[in-house]
Amino acid sequence: MSEDDSRPTKAGKRATINDVARVAEVSKKTVSRVINQSPFVREDTRERVQAAIDELGFVPDPQARGLAFRRSFLIGMIYDQPSPTYVVNMQQGILDALKGSGFELVVHPCSRNSPTLLQDIRGFVERQRLFGVIMPPSVSEDDSVIELLQELDCPYVRIASLTLDEPQNMVVTNDWIGAAEAAGHLADLGHRHIALVRGLASFRSSVVRGQGFIDALAERGIALPPEYDRQGAYTYESGVEAGHALLSLPQPPTAIFTLNDDMALGVMQAARERGMELPRDLSVVGFDDLPMAARVWPNLTSVRLPIRDMGRMAAEKLLAPTRGVDPAKLVQPEVRPALVVRKSATPLGH
């Protein structure tokens, strides 16, 4: 909508969108949202803007409004996730929700370290005229991306390990709980020399999962020595590297918890390269419970995060306004990680 979308007032002047914003004491963007019946406006604000529109006699030009606010039937997924399996599972969940809706999914891989991150995302949203955006970690944790989407008036849903936004914009995965369960399981098996392989430091999930694990160990009187706390990158290769480093220590751990399954498989490979027998010589637990966890040998014990369901939940929130539902009034879905016990972690000495 342009500033010229108006009609003459009684005084002969033409009221503009800026006039409405000034009288209602809101931004021009908020006026636009009210005119376009966006659900992302508080009711008291909507009433104030409507009162200003009525007072000024402002009537937007439907043709100009259509050009400015035209949306496609495309949902964007913006991600910087290094695990291909995670990405595929997330996409499948989104597609589950889009089935029969008339909407399609387009994806945009990115790197948060790129100096053109915001420029690239802006181009993606504007070129595709996206109806809305879904973001898994860690791009979902980037406030500068959120500010850009708000500037573009593009609806979004963030998937993250803890609450970062209004409920209608969030799917919270409660990663701390899952990591704590993994720690408790290894401790209950009798392990006391337990190591941790973290994910990328830029992922808040790495911080939250790591803290949940350390807190749960501490509750059981088990400390995590600095040499047992290794930095990984959420990749198989970083798991192999971390595994060799840990298993070459004078006092190697008897159990290793990695913050995703790709790194767990890398740790298992490192153990095999060193001639170790799994799980007799080393117990390993991962996180995410990707399909590969049940297919390797020994089958990987892992914290299940319902990634496909998370994608579906996010898409359903995004599509709620098209179904006449206010996202703020939706029953908030709860994602609760759960430990899936298999063969890769056994009691100490077995």
Side-chain angles (χ1 to χ4, degrees), residues 87-208:
V87 172
V88 170
N89 283 1
M90 181 69 64
Q91 289 176 358
Q92 288 175 334
I94 296 171
L95 292 172
D96 288 342
L98 298 188
K99 191 174 298 182
S101 69
F103 285 85
E104 302 291 345
L105 174 65
V106 289
V107 299
H108 180 77
C110 66
S111 169
R112 284 183 66 190
N113 297 323
S114 170
T116 61
L117 172 67
L118 297 181
Q119 176 184 338
D120 295 342
I121 291 177
R122 178 186 290 274
F124 174 60
V125 172
E126 291 182 336
R127 280 193 308 273
Q128 303 292 342
R129 302 194 310 277
L130 296 178
F131 175 84
V133 168
I134 294 169
M135 295 168 290
S138 75
V139 70
S140 63
E141 303 162 357
D142 194 320
D143 288 337
S144 65
V145 173
I146 302 306
E147 290 170 4
L148 171 63
L149 294 174
Q150 291 172 341
E151 175 194 333
L152 295 173
D153 201 21
C154 181
Y156 62 88
V157 175
R158 311 162 77 171
I159 301 169
S161 55
L162 71 171
T163 301
L164 302 172
D165 209 321
E166 297 298 321
Q168 61 265 28
N169 296 328
M170 289 295 311
V171 172
V172 181
T173 57
N174 299 300
D175 291 23
W176 190 99
I177 295 172
E181 283 193 31
H185 180 63
L186 290 173
D188 290 345
L189 291 174
H191 294 279
R192 292 298 178 267
H193 296 91
I194 306 173
L196 169 66
V197 181
R198 297 178 183 268
L200 290 162
S202 59
F203 278 56
R204 198 167 305 193
S205 62
S206 181
V207 176
V208 173

Side-chain angles (χ1 to χ4, degrees), residues 80-344:
D80 61 345
Q81 169 64 237
S83 170
T85 308
Y86 183 105
V87 172
V88 170
N89 283 1
M90 181 69 64
Q91 289 176 358
Q92 288 175 334
I94 296 171
L95 292 172
D96 288 342
L98 298 188
K99 191 174 298 182
S101 69
F103 285 85
E104 302 291 345
L105 174 65
V106 289
V107 299
H108 180 77
C110 66
S111 169
R112 284 183 66 190
N113 297 323
S114 170
T116 61
L117 172 67
L118 297 181
Q119 176 184 338
D120 295 342
I121 291 177
R122 178 186 290 274
F124 174 60
V125 172
E126 291 182 336
R127 280 193 308 273
Q128 303 292 342
R129 302 194 310 277
L130 296 178
F131 175 84
V133 168
I134 294 169
M135 295 168 290
S138 75
V139 70
S140 63
E141 303 162 357
D142 194 320
D143 288 337
S144 65
V145 173
I146 302 306
E147 290 170 4
L148 171 63
L149 294 174
Q150 291 172 341
E151 175 194 333
L152 295 173
D153 201 21
C154 181
Y156 62 88
V157 175
R158 311 162 77 171
I159 301 169
S161 55
L162 71 171
T163 301
L164 302 172
D165 209 321
E166 297 298 321
Q168 61 265 28
N169 296 328
M170 289 295 311
V171 172
V172 181
T173 57
N174 299 300
D175 291 23
W176 190 99
I177 295 172
E181 283 193 31
H185 180 63
L186 290 173
D188 290 345
L189 291 174
H191 294 279
R192 292 298 178 267
H193 296 91
I194 306 173
L196 169 66
V197 181
R198 297 178 183 268
L200 290 162
S202 59
F203 278 56
R204 198 167 305 193
S205 62
S206 181
V207 176
V208 173
R209 293 176 184 183
Q211 196 59 52
F213 186 72
I214 292 171
D215 289 348
L217 287 183
E219 287 179 2
R220 290 162 174 80
I222 302 172
L224 183 73
E227 64 270 21
Y228 279 10
D229 191 345
R230 303 292 303 187
Q231 184 68 55
Y234 278 146
T235 63
Y236 173 85
E237 293 76 14
S238 68
V240 174
E241 182 180 350
H244 278 300
L246 289 166
L247 297 173
S248 65
L249 291 171
Q251 173 66 68
T254 62
I256 299 176
F257 174 55
T258 68
L259 297 191
N260 79 345
D261 288 347
D262 295 86
M263 294 191 298
L265 299 183
V267 166
M268 293 167 72
Q269 178 61 27
R272 291 192 182 96
E273 290 175 3
R274 304 178 77 85
M276 301 175 72
E277 184 177 332
L278 300 173
R280 184 193 67 186
D281 300 328
L282 178 70
S283 288
V284 180
V285 175
F287 200 112
D288 288 337
D289 194 35
L290 299 178
M292 68 183 80
R295 298 170 185 166
V296 297
W297 185 257
N299 304 144
L300 179 64
T301 294
S302 182
V303 178
R304 174 173 291 168
L305 205 56
I307 296 168
R308 184 166 179 165
D309 288 343
M310 287 151 44
R312 175 184 54 76
M313 292 173 187
E316 287 176 348
K317 280 198 171 191
L318 203 56
L319 292 180
T322 71
R323 297 163 178 166
V325 178
D326 183 348
K329 297 178 181 177
L330 283 173
V331 175
Q332 297 304 314
E334 181 178 4
V335 178
R336 188 177 179 88
L339 186 70
V340 179
V341 177
R342 298 193 179 95
K343 304 290 187 182
S344 66

